[in-house]
Amino acid sequence: MMRNIVAGNWKSNKSINESREWMSEMSNLEGSMPKDVRVIVAPPAPYLAALAEVKPSNVILASQTVSATGSGAYTGEFTADMLTSCGVEFALIGHSERRGGYGETDEVVVDKISRCIEAGLGVVLCCGEPLEVRDSGGHEEMIARQLDSAMNNLSDVDPSKFVIAYEPIWAIGTGRTATSEQAGEMHTFIRSWLSDKFSQERANQISILYGGSCKPSNADELFANANVDGGLIGGASLKTEDFSQIIKAASK
Ligand code: PEP
């Protein structure tokens, strides 16, 4: 299984027509894309079923969120099974914008992960520290706490369906990127946490993505770290020109 992944998170952006246009541009670029990078994109949920019909074969669809429950009386929620039935293969879980703004607590993250695993939906588990934690030197401890909590119930994971994204909150949408050194340190820390939790072999199979103002101009440097397996890309995933350059940078 290849570890290199570039995942796009469109957040609440694009119309359905713009989304279709993005897929058609990616289809045109398909032949020039590296074969050793998995490409994932998370469009707004209302477009997912339609985009599954038109996406190029090398693009994997993700949802930006998923319900922590199964089917039933949960107005407005959509379940992991609903997503897989629409051709969606991954869900982002624990994104800082969900943790911060929509009550996605550690407990909710645990529930969402189990729903995904039950449904066979892949997980992109996001973790990251706010600026004050970074400044006071508590970042490793905080990430360990987030991972401990999210994966407490898991004795193993399928590395083709479980991805970790390290996203320092101070770098998301701010234009302020972690330095290559800061990213490298945290990714090495996460790899070793995974090795303690599972095994060195399993840890080596799990993709760890960097997220936070990653763009064509800094992707090479960030991805040069042995433990940075690619990126979770917000703003720079909206244009295929930028996104495809970042995909090329993730080829190792
Ligand atoms: C994100 O939302 O996961 C993200 C990394 O955003 P941006 O690239 O815009 O900082």
Side-chain angles (χ1 to χ4, degrees), residues 9 11 92 95-97 126 167 171-175 210-215 232-237:
N9 172 15
K11 314 191 182 188
L92 308 186
H95 191 283
S96 58
E97 288 159 16
C126 305
E167 301 204 296
I172 296 183
T174 58
Y210 167 80
S213 301
C214 181
K215 43 188 184 271
L232 177 53
I233 318 296
S237 70

PDB file of all heavy atoms in Angstrom, residues 9 11 92 95-97 126 167 171-175 210-215 232-237, ligand 1:
ATOM      1  N   ASN A   9      -9.520  19.422   0.968  1.00  0.00           N
ATOM      2  CA  ASN A   9     -10.709  19.726   1.766  1.00  0.00           C
ATOM      3  C   ASN A   9     -11.259  21.056   1.264  1.00  0.00           C
ATOM      4  O   ASN A   9     -10.679  22.098   1.524  1.00  0.00           O
ATOM      5  CB  ASN A   9     -10.312  19.827   3.254  1.00  0.00           C
ATOM      6  CG  ASN A   9     -11.447  20.321   4.128  1.00  0.00           C
ATOM      7  OD1 ASN A   9     -12.607  20.327   3.715  1.00  0.00           O
ATOM      8  ND2 ASN A   9     -11.115  20.743   5.346  1.00  0.00           N
ATOM      9  N   LYS A  11     -13.952  22.489   2.152  1.00  0.00           N
ATOM     10  CA  LYS A  11     -14.793  23.182   3.159  1.00  0.00           C
ATOM     11  C   LYS A  11     -16.106  23.595   2.477  1.00  0.00           C
ATOM     12  O   LYS A  11     -16.576  22.887   1.600  1.00  0.00           O
ATOM     13  CB  LYS A  11     -14.029  24.358   3.762  1.00  0.00           C
ATOM     14  CG  LYS A  11     -12.592  23.953   4.153  1.00  0.00           C
ATOM     15  CD  LYS A  11     -11.867  24.951   4.972  1.00  0.00           C
ATOM     16  CE  LYS A  11     -10.455  24.434   5.234  1.00  0.00           C
ATOM     17  NZ  LYS A  11      -9.709  25.223   6.182  1.00  0.00           N
ATOM     18  N   LEU A  92     -13.408  12.774   6.770  1.00  0.00           N
ATOM     19  CA  LEU A  92     -12.532  13.519   7.684  1.00  0.00           C
ATOM     20  C   LEU A  92     -13.192  13.474   9.059  1.00  0.00           C
ATOM     21  O   LEU A  92     -14.394  13.685   9.178  1.00  0.00           O
ATOM     22  CB  LEU A  92     -12.392  14.979   7.262  1.00  0.00           C
ATOM     23  CG  LEU A  92     -11.988  15.312   5.819  1.00  0.00           C
ATOM     24  CD1 LEU A  92     -11.764  16.835   5.689  1.00  0.00           C
ATOM     25  CD2 LEU A  92     -10.743  14.562   5.400  1.00  0.00           C
ATOM     26  N   HIS A  95     -11.647  17.285  12.378  1.00  0.00           N
ATOM     27  CA  HIS A  95     -11.026  18.510  11.840  1.00  0.00           C
ATOM     28  C   HIS A  95     -11.184  19.623  12.876  1.00  0.00           C
ATOM     29  O   HIS A  95     -12.214  19.722  13.534  1.00  0.00           O
ATOM     30  CB  HIS A  95     -11.701  18.891  10.518  1.00  0.00           C
ATOM     31  CG  HIS A  95     -10.964  19.973   9.788  1.00  0.00           C
ATOM     32  ND1 HIS A  95     -11.038  21.291  10.157  1.00  0.00           N
ATOM     33  CD2 HIS A  95     -10.106  19.920   8.739  1.00  0.00           C
ATOM     34  CE1 HIS A  95     -10.261  22.006   9.346  1.00  0.00           C
ATOM     35  NE2 HIS A  95      -9.684  21.196   8.480  1.00  0.00           N
ATOM     36  N   SER A  96     -10.190  20.479  12.987  1.00  0.00           N
ATOM     37  CA  SER A  96     -10.238  21.512  14.042  1.00  0.00           C
ATOM     38  C   SER A  96     -11.442  22.435  13.867  1.00  0.00           C
ATOM     39  O   SER A  96     -11.963  22.953  14.853  1.00  0.00           O
ATOM     40  CB  SER A  96      -8.946  22.317  14.073  1.00  0.00           C
ATOM     41  OG  SER A  96      -8.716  22.919  12.826  1.00  0.00           O
ATOM     42  N   GLU A  97     -11.895  22.626  12.630  1.00  0.00           N
ATOM     43  CA  GLU A  97     -13.080  23.482  12.440  1.00  0.00           C
ATOM     44  C   GLU A  97     -14.343  22.784  12.934  1.00  0.00           C
ATOM     45  O   GLU A  97     -15.315  23.442  13.301  1.00  0.00           O
ATOM     46  CB  GLU A  97     -13.207  23.878  10.955  1.00  0.00           C
ATOM     47  CG  GLU A  97     -12.133  24.891  10.576  1.00  0.00           C
ATOM     48  CD  GLU A  97     -11.844  24.983   9.081  1.00  0.00           C
ATOM     49  OE1 GLU A  97     -12.651  24.506   8.265  1.00  0.00           O
ATOM     50  OE2 GLU A  97     -10.770  25.537   8.744  1.00  0.00           O
ATOM     51  N   CYS A 126      -7.988  13.847  12.067  1.00  0.00           N
ATOM     52  CA  CYS A 126      -7.216  15.090  12.182  1.00  0.00           C
ATOM     53  C   CYS A 126      -6.887  15.378  13.643  1.00  0.00           C
ATOM     54  O   CYS A 126      -7.728  15.204  14.530  1.00  0.00           O
ATOM     55  CB  CYS A 126      -8.014  16.269  11.645  1.00  0.00           C
ATOM     56  SG  CYS A 126      -8.593  16.039   9.946  1.00  0.00           S
ATOM     57  N   GLU A 167      -2.471  18.674  11.841  1.00  0.00           N
ATOM     58  CA  GLU A 167      -2.794  20.015  11.376  1.00  0.00           C
ATOM     59  C   GLU A 167      -2.706  21.011  12.526  1.00  0.00           C
ATOM     60  O   GLU A 167      -3.687  21.202  13.258  1.00  0.00           O
ATOM     61  CB  GLU A 167      -4.220  20.043  10.828  1.00  0.00           C
ATOM     62  CG  GLU A 167      -4.466  19.096   9.688  1.00  0.00           C
ATOM     63  CD  GLU A 167      -5.645  19.557   8.841  1.00  0.00           C
ATOM     64  OE1 GLU A 167      -6.762  19.591   9.373  1.00  0.00           O
ATOM     65  OE2 GLU A 167      -5.417  19.931   7.701  1.00  0.00           O
ATOM     66  N   ALA A 171      -1.785  27.048  11.818  1.00  0.00           N
ATOM     67  CA  ALA A 171      -1.332  27.052  10.420  1.00  0.00           C
ATOM     68  C   ALA A 171      -2.491  26.874   9.444  1.00  0.00           C
ATOM     69  O   ALA A 171      -2.299  26.964   8.239  1.00  0.00           O
ATOM     70  CB  ALA A 171      -0.297  25.952  10.210  1.00  0.00           C
ATOM     71  N   ILE A 172      -3.701  26.616   9.959  1.00  0.00           N
ATOM     72  CA  ILE A 172      -4.826  26.332   9.053  1.00  0.00           C
ATOM     73  C   ILE A 172      -5.469  27.620   8.571  1.00  0.00           C
ATOM     74  O   ILE A 172      -5.966  28.411   9.367  1.00  0.00           O
ATOM     75  CB  ILE A 172      -5.881  25.449   9.741  1.00  0.00           C
ATOM     76  CG1 ILE A 172      -5.270  24.086  10.067  1.00  0.00           C
ATOM     77  CG2 ILE A 172      -7.099  25.272   8.849  1.00  0.00           C
ATOM     78  CD1 ILE A 172      -6.245  23.119  10.678  1.00  0.00           C
ATOM     79  N   GLY A 173      -5.424  27.817   7.267  1.00  0.00           N
ATOM     80  CA  GLY A 173      -6.072  28.978   6.659  1.00  0.00           C
ATOM     81  C   GLY A 173      -5.436  30.305   7.042  1.00  0.00           C
ATOM     82  O   GLY A 173      -6.012  31.365   6.793  1.00  0.00           O
ATOM     83  N   THR A 174      -4.263  30.259   7.646  1.00  0.00           N
ATOM     84  CA  THR A 174      -3.640  31.488   8.140  1.00  0.00           C
ATOM     85  C   THR A 174      -2.514  31.971   7.240  1.00  0.00           C
ATOM     86  O   THR A 174      -2.013  33.073   7.409  1.00  0.00           O
ATOM     87  CB  THR A 174      -3.020  31.242   9.531  1.00  0.00           C
ATOM     88  OG1 THR A 174      -2.064  30.175   9.411  1.00  0.00           O
ATOM     89  CG2 THR A 174      -4.076  30.861  10.548  1.00  0.00           C
ATOM     90  N   GLY A 175      -2.086  31.117   6.317  1.00  0.00           N
ATOM     91  CA  GLY A 175      -0.929  31.466   5.487  1.00  0.00           C
ATOM     92  C   GLY A 175       0.367  31.213   6.240  1.00  0.00           C
ATOM     93  O   GLY A 175       1.450  31.329   5.683  1.00  0.00           O
ATOM     94  N   TYR A 210       0.480  16.163   6.521  1.00  0.00           N
ATOM     95  CA  TYR A 210       0.582  17.479   7.139  1.00  0.00           C
ATOM     96  C   TYR A 210      -0.518  18.377   6.575  1.00  0.00           C
ATOM     97  O   TYR A 210      -0.785  18.351   5.367  1.00  0.00           O
ATOM     98  CB  TYR A 210       1.966  18.120   6.859  1.00  0.00           C
ATOM     99  CG  TYR A 210       1.936  19.581   7.224  1.00  0.00           C
ATOM    100  CD1 TYR A 210       2.072  19.980   8.560  1.00  0.00           C
ATOM    101  CD2 TYR A 210       1.682  20.558   6.267  1.00  0.00           C
ATOM    102  CE1 TYR A 210       1.957  21.310   8.919  1.00  0.00           C
ATOM    103  CE2 TYR A 210       1.573  21.898   6.618  1.00  0.00           C
ATOM    104  CZ  TYR A 210       1.707  22.266   7.946  1.00  0.00           C
ATOM    105  OH  TYR A 210       1.577  23.581   8.293  1.00  0.00           O
ATOM    106  N   GLY A 211      -1.136  19.190   7.419  1.00  0.00           N
ATOM    107  CA  GLY A 211      -2.129  20.158   6.951  1.00  0.00           C
ATOM    108  C   GLY A 211      -1.913  21.506   7.595  1.00  0.00           C
ATOM    109  O   GLY A 211      -1.616  21.591   8.795  1.00  0.00           O
ATOM    110  N   GLY A 212      -2.076  22.553   6.821  1.00  0.00           N
ATOM    111  CA  GLY A 212      -1.949  23.913   7.346  1.00  0.00           C
ATOM    112  C   GLY A 212      -1.197  24.785   6.357  1.00  0.00           C
ATOM    113  O   GLY A 212       0.028  24.778   6.333  1.00  0.00           O
ATOM    114  N   SER A 213      -1.960  25.491   5.501  1.00  0.00           N
ATOM    115  CA  SER A 213      -1.377  26.415   4.525  1.00  0.00           C
ATOM    116  C   SER A 213      -0.309  25.760   3.653  1.00  0.00           C
ATOM    117  O   SER A 213       0.692  26.392   3.298  1.00  0.00           O
ATOM    118  CB  SER A 213      -0.826  27.663   5.233  1.00  0.00           C
ATOM    119  OG  SER A 213      -1.850  28.319   5.944  1.00  0.00           O
ATOM    120  N   CYS A 214      -0.517  24.502   3.319  1.00  0.00           N
ATOM    121  CA  CYS A 214       0.386  23.824   2.383  1.00  0.00           C
ATOM    122  C   CYS A 214       0.000  24.259   0.975  1.00  0.00           C
ATOM    123  O   CYS A 214      -1.174  24.325   0.635  1.00  0.00           O
ATOM    124  CB  CYS A 214       0.237  22.312   2.552  1.00  0.00           C
ATOM    125  SG  CYS A 214       1.326  21.385   1.455  1.00  0.00           S
ATOM    126  N   LYS A 215       0.992  24.598   0.174  1.00  0.00           N
ATOM    127  CA  LYS A 215       0.746  25.072  -1.195  1.00  0.00           C
ATOM    128  C   LYS A 215       1.905  24.665  -2.094  1.00  0.00           C
ATOM    129  O   LYS A 215       2.915  24.134  -1.602  1.00  0.00           O
ATOM    130  CB  LYS A 215       0.536  26.591  -1.186  1.00  0.00           C
ATOM    131  CG  LYS A 215       1.495  27.379  -0.314  1.00  0.00           C
ATOM    132  CD  LYS A 215       1.062  28.843  -0.220  1.00  0.00           C
ATOM    133  CE  LYS A 215       2.074  29.650   0.567  1.00  0.00           C
ATOM    134  NZ  LYS A 215       1.795  29.660   2.015  1.00  0.00           N
ATOM    135  N   LEU A 232      -2.916  17.323   3.789  1.00  0.00           N
ATOM    136  CA  LEU A 232      -4.347  17.633   3.754  1.00  0.00           C
ATOM    137  C   LEU A 232      -4.408  19.115   3.409  1.00  0.00           C
ATOM    138  O   LEU A 232      -3.888  19.954   4.161  1.00  0.00           O
ATOM    139  CB  LEU A 232      -5.009  17.324   5.101  1.00  0.00           C
ATOM    140  CG  LEU A 232      -6.498  17.668   5.240  1.00  0.00           C
ATOM    141  CD1 LEU A 232      -7.340  17.070   4.118  1.00  0.00           C
ATOM    142  CD2 LEU A 232      -7.041  17.187   6.585  1.00  0.00           C
ATOM    143  N   ILE A 233      -5.026  19.416   2.278  1.00  0.00           N
ATOM    144  CA  ILE A 233      -4.890  20.727   1.668  1.00  0.00           C
ATOM    145  C   ILE A 233      -6.238  21.435   1.638  1.00  0.00           C
ATOM    146  O   ILE A 233      -7.192  20.915   1.036  1.00  0.00           O
ATOM    147  CB  ILE A 233      -4.379  20.591   0.202  1.00  0.00           C
ATOM    148  CG1 ILE A 233      -3.272  19.535   0.069  1.00  0.00           C
ATOM    149  CG2 ILE A 233      -3.954  21.945  -0.356  1.00  0.00           C
ATOM    150  CD1 ILE A 233      -2.013  19.833   0.815  1.00  0.00           C
ATOM    151  N   GLY A 234      -6.337  22.589   2.263  1.00  0.00           N
ATOM    152  CA  GLY A 234      -7.575  23.367   2.227  1.00  0.00           C
ATOM    153  C   GLY A 234      -7.581  24.283   1.013  1.00  0.00           C
ATOM    154  O   GLY A 234      -7.849  23.865  -0.114  1.00  0.00           O
ATOM    155  N   GLY A 235      -7.229  25.535   1.235  1.00  0.00           N
ATOM    156  CA  GLY A 235      -7.296  26.569   0.190  1.00  0.00           C
ATOM    157  C   GLY A 235      -6.688  26.155  -1.140  1.00  0.00           C
ATOM    158  O   GLY A 235      -7.293  26.372  -2.201  1.00  0.00           O
ATOM    159  N   ALA A 236      -5.512  25.543  -1.100  1.00  0.00           N
ATOM    160  CA  ALA A 236      -4.810  25.219  -2.351  1.00  0.00           C
ATOM    161  C   ALA A 236      -5.379  23.984  -3.056  1.00  0.00           C
ATOM    162  O   ALA A 236      -4.884  23.586  -4.110  1.00  0.00           O
ATOM    163  CB  ALA A 236      -3.313  25.033  -2.086  1.00  0.00           C
ATOM    164  N   SER A 237      -6.451  23.393  -2.510  1.00  0.00           N
ATOM    165  CA  SER A 237      -7.069  22.269  -3.227  1.00  0.00           C
ATOM    166  C   SER A 237      -8.176  22.761  -4.162  1.00  0.00           C
ATOM    167  O   SER A 237      -8.707  21.995  -4.960  1.00  0.00           O
ATOM    168  CB  SER A 237      -7.650  21.239  -2.250  1.00  0.00           C
ATOM    169  OG  SER A 237      -8.795  21.746  -1.591  1.00  0.00           O
TER     170      SER A 237
HETATM  171  C1  PEP B   1      -7.512  22.229   6.287  1.00  0.00           C
HETATM  172  O1  PEP B   1      -8.599  22.750   6.339  1.00  0.00           O
HETATM  173  O2  PEP B   1      -7.412  21.036   6.596  1.00  0.00           O
HETATM  174  C2  PEP B   1      -6.343  23.029   5.845  1.00  0.00           C
HETATM  175  C3  PEP B   1      -5.159  22.505   5.971  1.00  0.00           C
HETATM  176  O3  PEP B   1      -6.599  24.272   5.323  1.00  0.00           O
HETATM  177  P1  PEP B   1      -5.530  25.249   4.617  1.00  0.00           P
HETATM  178  O4  PEP B   1      -4.706  24.416   3.676  1.00  0.00           O
HETATM  179  O5  PEP B   1      -6.374  26.256   3.875  1.00  0.00           O
HETATM  180  O6  PEP B   1      -4.693  25.851   5.694  1.00  0.00           O
END
